[in-house]
Amino acid sequence: MRWRRGGGTGLAPGTRWGVVLVLAAGLLLSGCRRESPLRAATSAEVRHGRGLFQRGQSPQGSPLTGFLGPERVELEGAVAACARCHGPSGRGSREGGVEVPDITPGSLEHSRAVGLEDIEDRARPAYTRATLLRAITEGRSASGRPLGVAMPRYALTEADADALLGYLQTLDAAPDPGLSATTLTVGAALPLKGPLAPVGQEVQAVVRAVFADVNARGGIFRRRLELVVEDDAALYATAASSAGADATARLLERDVFALVASLRPARLASDARLEQEGAPLVLPLPLEPGPPPDEGPVFFLYPEPSALARIAVQHLASTEGPRLRRQPLAVVHPEDAAGRAWWEAVRAEAGRRELATPLDWGPALEETETEPGPAPFAVLYTGTSEGLASLTKTLAARALKVPVFAPAALADPRRPELTGGQVFFLSPMGLGEHAPDLEALTVFMDRHGLKPGHTAFQLGAYAAARVFVEAVTRAGADLTRAGLQQQLESLRDFDTGVSPPVSFGVNRRVGVQGAQLATLEATTGRLRAASDWIPLSP
């Protein structure tokens, strides 16, 4: 463009004004241009973002990290999860007297005016992707105002940022797997073939019957409970620890919301998958002993055998402490993981209470060369019912008249050696005045045409279904996996109808923490309470 003398442009007046208007319009449009809409998140990004939001963990197990306040106190993992304050649905809450805002799309995508009740100016424009990311990482609102100190400033990789922002778009729109407006799909991994098939079929029938009663009353917040069962017989045809043998992964691939009453060892390789998906497993029925985790998505009903060993030592220390400082306990156990855990529990508990060092008699008393000195005050045994009966015979042959303590699972009425009162069984199931009233269960079983079979597993399945229904009901209509886990963690003294009261916690994944001593009656073949309830001390 060539300029003329006098400041002209060489353009006709009408043309000059047209150029000015076009430039002005361009400037106005550039100043008002909205950010392009966010692209739809992929299913993998939604799963990734859900883990960060709900559990503070990526699918690969990397924890979400945030920094709180000017001191930049580091928060990590579940403590840093957005859902802890904003709620599993993102609709906000009041946390410690602080109002936590609604961060669902319907709220963030609209501007906010000053409310009449507002003490300070909290007006802001609608959030864009850039301003939302700034709020999450720098703690500044869409208007540029600093957010409160209770809002962590998160450290996000680019992939984490994309996933979290993508998931935030789906709040209120994309429910967790297995959840719809009318149904809630729950899974159970049970053996349906092979020698354990009768147990699997009985457990399945009990859970279905409990769900049928709930559905007959209209479901839970108008959602019908649907049970999906995958056959886990392959798990017991090979080594229990073989990778990929169990059916839990197949259930998760079928998009179940949670699992309930699965028959399984205490721990499986697929537990890592449950953790990644954030899918709770409510009261599995362990076939093999093992220490349960203190946190995570798996919630157990009864303590493992090594916890029963601790209860026995605690009880003996409280009643016979002075003698046990001079006279040791003896431990008989198999040389496997469960047996070593039993021995370590006795040894550690005795040391904690400053008792005499226990004697490790190993797998069998017959093979043990006892050292000269006082006889043990008592023997703590774990193993098999046959081994326990053999132990009592050996003690009698050696003229050792000492009590024997063992898990109640070994109480076999077919072995008369266990009924003479020398053996005390540790039962967490509640006996005597602590026994649950089973009248309601009897009515339930009769109504559904269920016959007594493998009673312990039927009772466990009933308790699992009852706990699941209670926690889902407490979680409310805006149900999420994380919300279910939070309700399980807050369950206190819940009456399952078939067990002592159940309580969980943030770092407590065993519902019943205690036991009673019991003896086995020769005439009835039943356990009779020999002590009051003994709580498990930390």
Side-chain angles (χ1 to χ4, degrees):
M1 183 182 297
R2 185 167 57 88
W3 291 86
R4 286 188 175 183
R5 194 171 37 190
T9 62
L11 297 177
T15 305
R16 291 199 304 269
W17 282 111
V19 171
V20 171
L21 290 173
V22 169
L23 291 173
L27 290 171
L28 287 171
L29 287 173
S30 65
C32 298
R33 184 180 296 119
R34 290 187 176 182
E35 187 178 275
S36 58
L38 286 169
R39 65 171 176 80
T42 65
S43 59
E45 286 176 327
V46 169
R47 182 179 292 110
H48 183 166
R50 180 188 295 118
L52 295 172
F53 184 92
Q54 302 283 8
R55 306 186 310 280
Q57 185 176 8
S58 73
Q60 293 75 33
S62 301
L64 179 66
T65 302
F67 299 92
L68 202 61
E71 299 84 4
R72 291 184 61 79
V73 176
E74 184 173 337
L75 305 176
E76 189 176 83
V79 179
C82 313
R84 283 291 179 182
C85 294
H86 291 281
S89 65
R91 293 185 177 178
S93 64
R94 291 193 67 84
E95 184 75 14
V98 177
E99 181 183 352
V100 182
D102 183 340
I103 56 171
T104 57
S107 174
L108 295 182
E109 292 174 1
H110 292 84
S111 60
R112 171 175 175 158
V114 179
L116 294 176
E117 74 283 0
D118 286 350
I119 299 175
E120 60 178 322
D121 183 2
R122 301 177 64 188
R124 59 159 178 79
Y127 275 96
T128 65
R129 184 189 191 282
T131 57
L132 184 54
L133 182 59
R134 183 180 68 182
I136 295 170
T137 58
E138 300 177 21
R140 303 189 75 83
S141 77
S143 65
R145 176 181 56 83
L147 297 176
V149 294
M151 169 66 185
R153 279 56 170 166
Y154 290 99
L156 300 175
T157 65
E158 184 176 350
D160 285 347
D162 287 341
L164 185 55
L165 292 173
Y167 178 69
L168 289 176
Q169 294 178 74
T170 71
L171 285 174
D172 284 348
D176 279 352
L179 190 65
S180 76
T182 58
T183 59
L184 176 58
T185 304
V186 187
L190 299 168
L192 303 179
K193 298 188 293 290
L196 287 173
V199 178
Q201 297 287 359
E202 290 170 5
V203 169
Q204 177 181 192
V206 170
V207 175
R208 288 195 188 281
V210 173
F211 285 5
D213 282 351
V214 173
N215 292 336
R217 297 192 297 268
I220 302 177
F221 295 102
R222 300 184 180 181
R223 292 188 179 105
R224 290 179 53 81
L225 299 179
E226 296 184 352
L227 180 66
V228 174
V229 177
E230 280 283 345
D231 187 5
D232 223 5
L235 179 64
Y236 307 101
T238 58
S241 60
S242 60
D246 66 284
T248 299
R250 298 198 301 274
L251 287 167
L252 292 173
E253 288 163 5
R254 294 182 66 177
D255 283 343
V256 299
F257 177 78
L259 287 80
V260 61
S262 291
L263 197 68
R264 47 168 278 166
R267 288 180 183 245
L268 281 174
S270 58
D271 289 353
R273 178 75 181 273
L274 291 172
E275 180 76 30
Q276 291 170 3
E277 298 281 345
L281 168 54
V282 182
L283 273 55
L285 310 174
L287 280 174
E288 299 174 5
D294 293 328
E295 54 186 20
V298 185
F299 294 78
F300 293 87
L301 179 58
Y302 290 120
E304 79 282 7
S306 61
L308 298 179
R310 291 183 56 210
I311 291 171
V313 176
Q314 290 176 6
H315 172 73
L316 291 170
S318 66
T319 57
E320 301 289 346
R323 287 188 62 183
L324 287 174
R325 290 183 178 87
R326 303 186 305 272
Q327 193 174 6
L329 299 169
V331 184
V332 177
H333 62 91
E335 290 296 343
D336 57 16
R340 290 190 294 273
W342 177 272
W343 156 251
E344 288 296 333
V346 175
R347 185 188 62 79
E349 197 66 37
R352 189 177 298 117
R353 298 181 183 277
E354 299 181 346
L355 307 180
T357 302
L359 305 173
D360 184 358
W361 281 359
L365 183 57
E366 294 94 330
E367 303 170 6
T368 301
E369 294 294 334
T370 57
E371 295 292 334
F377 179 81
V379 178
L380 276 69
Y381 174 88
T382 190
T384 64
S385 297
E386 180 182 10
L388 180 59
S390 176
L391 172 65
T392 60
K393 293 178 183 177
T394 303
L395 290 173
R398 294 194 178 190
L400 289 174
K401 297 181 179 181
V402 297
V404 178
F405 296 84
L410 305 184
D412 187 346
R414 296 170 298 179
R415 301 188 181 279
E417 299 88 354
L418 307 184
T419 61
Q422 181 184 12
V423 181
F424 292 90
F425 295 97
L426 293 144
S427 173
M429 300 182 68
L431 300 167
E433 63 181 47
H434 298 282
D437 183 1
L438 299 181
E439 182 178 352
L441 176 66
T442 302
V443 172
F444 164 84
M445 298 282 284
D446 291 343
R447 186 172 67 252
H448 290 279
L450 302 176
K451 304 298 182 183
H454 297 82
T455 306
F457 292 103
Q458 290 175 310
L459 295 179
Y462 184 79
R466 286 282 309 276
V467 167
F468 176 80
V469 168
E470 178 69 15
V472 169
T473 303
R474 294 187 184 191
D478 297 325
L479 182 62
T480 64
R481 284 171 166 174
L484 173 60
Q485 180 162 322
Q486 289 176 16
Q487 291 303 321
L488 288 166
E489 291 175 347
S490 65
L491 207 62
R492 299 289 184 274
D493 295 325
F494 175 69
D495 182 9
T496 67
V498 295
S499 72
V502 171
S503 298
F504 294 112
V506 174
N507 295 311
R508 173 173 168 170
R509 290 299 186 265
V510 177
V512 176
Q513 300 221 352
Q516 288 173 270
L517 300 181
T519 55
L520 185 62
E521 289 186 330
T523 54
T524 64
R526 295 179 179 177
L527 291 173
R528 175 184 292 275
S531 76
D532 201 350
W533 185 257
I534 308 168
L536 175 63
S537 300

